[in-house]
Amino acid sequence: MQQRLARGEAAALGELYDRFASLVHSLAYRVLDDEHAADRITREVFGYIWEHPDSYDPKQGSLRSWVAGITRHQAVQRLRQTESDSARDQGAEGPVTAESERELERKIHEASTAARADYIVTSMPAPLREALELAYFQRRDYRQTAADLGVTEDEARRRLRLGLQLLSTAHNHQALPAVPMRRAARGPHAPRPPHSAPPGPGHGRSL
């Protein structure tokens, strides 16, 4: 896929979009809570991927993780800018205080952590995800979880422990380095992402 993108194959971008548009849109919406902003992030992310396919290093993780990381970083940057603009607009009421800055950073961190946690849950192996969903969304204890899954109680405890260990990394992730998201054309016929609708909260939005 990376080599096809580097060669400028528009079909490769279309395939990547079909695979990851829903992920990109849902992560962006999780951070921004705004469908229009999530649409814009989705376009920017695929524009960046088209222009910078060589920035993906398979040694650093999967293609899915790379796409999710770009999305989360860009969405957090957009949230920071939006909140900063809002604070400046309200500046007539008084100067920005250290407390308001801390509140801004807290809000940004919570949004980023929530998006990261969503990604981890949807990416973890199905047996771990199913155990977590039973235990924490349906309020099953480990014995009930074991019975529902048809596994031993020891296996249910193991799955819950591993799932929680993975989920805990959402609170310890490091911010990604800034990436330029403005899309410059690679040539006179540089393609755009396909105009299909990525599913998102409520209803899909076309790119």
Side-chain angles (χ1 to χ4, degrees):
M1 177 66 72
Q2 183 184 32
Q3 293 177 347
R4 292 174 62 200
L5 287 170
R7 290 196 298 267
E9 292 187 23
L13 182 65
E15 292 172 19
L16 198 71
Y17 181 91
D18 290 340
R19 287 171 60 186
F20 297 126
S22 178
L23 170 69
V24 170
H25 192 273
S26 63
L27 288 178
Y29 184 89
R30 189 71 169 88
V31 173
L32 298 167
D33 195 26
D34 184 308
E35 286 198 41
H36 293 290
D39 291 345
R40 183 174 178 180
I41 293 297
T42 302
R43 290 192 295 269
E44 291 177 349
V45 166
F46 284 99
Y48 174 80
I49 291 171
W50 172 252
E51 290 300 323
H52 304 278
D54 292 338
S55 65
Y56 170 57
D57 183 357
K59 296 179 181 178
Q60 300 298 318
S62 68
L63 190 62
R64 190 175 193 270
S65 296
W66 177 63
V67 172
I70 294 172
T71 304
R72 192 176 67 254
H73 179 272
Q74 182 65 3
V76 167
Q77 292 298 97
R78 180 61 52 76
L79 177 62
R80 185 186 300 277
Q81 183 63 52
T82 300
E83 294 293 330
S84 296
D85 290 346
S86 177
R88 282 197 297 271
D89 291 342
Q90 298 173 5
E93 301 177 3
V96 177
T97 65
E99 182 178 353
S100 63
E101 290 181 349
R102 286 194 295 271
E103 177 63 20
L104 170 60
E105 291 304 317
R106 182 195 62 78
K107 182 175 182 179
I108 290 170
H109 179 73
E110 287 182 352
S112 178
T113 298
R116 173 68 176 166
D118 282 356
Y119 172 73
I120 290 172
V121 170
T122 59
S123 301
M124 67 175 53
L128 304 188
R129 183 172 63 252
E130 290 168 355
L132 285 178
E133 289 174 347
L134 286 170
Y136 293 96
F137 293 103
Q138 299 184 36
R139 303 294 184 181
R140 302 284 203 274
D141 62 26
Y142 74 91
R143 292 186 177 89
Q144 293 170 322
T145 298
D148 288 344
L149 295 177
V151 299
T152 66
E153 293 179 4
D154 285 344
E155 175 63 14
R157 282 195 294 263
R158 186 190 72 83
R159 294 183 184 183
L160 289 170
R161 183 174 62 253
L162 290 176
L164 288 173
Q165 287 174 348
L166 288 173
L167 196 55
S168 69
T169 64
H171 297 276
N172 302 319
H173 71 274
Q174 296 181 348
L176 297 175
V179 290
M181 302 302 293
R182 183 174 298 175
R183 185 172 184 269
R186 282 167 61 170
H189 303 293
R192 296 180 179 179
H195 289 266
S196 56
H203 57 276
R205 311 286 300 188
S206 61
L207 295 184

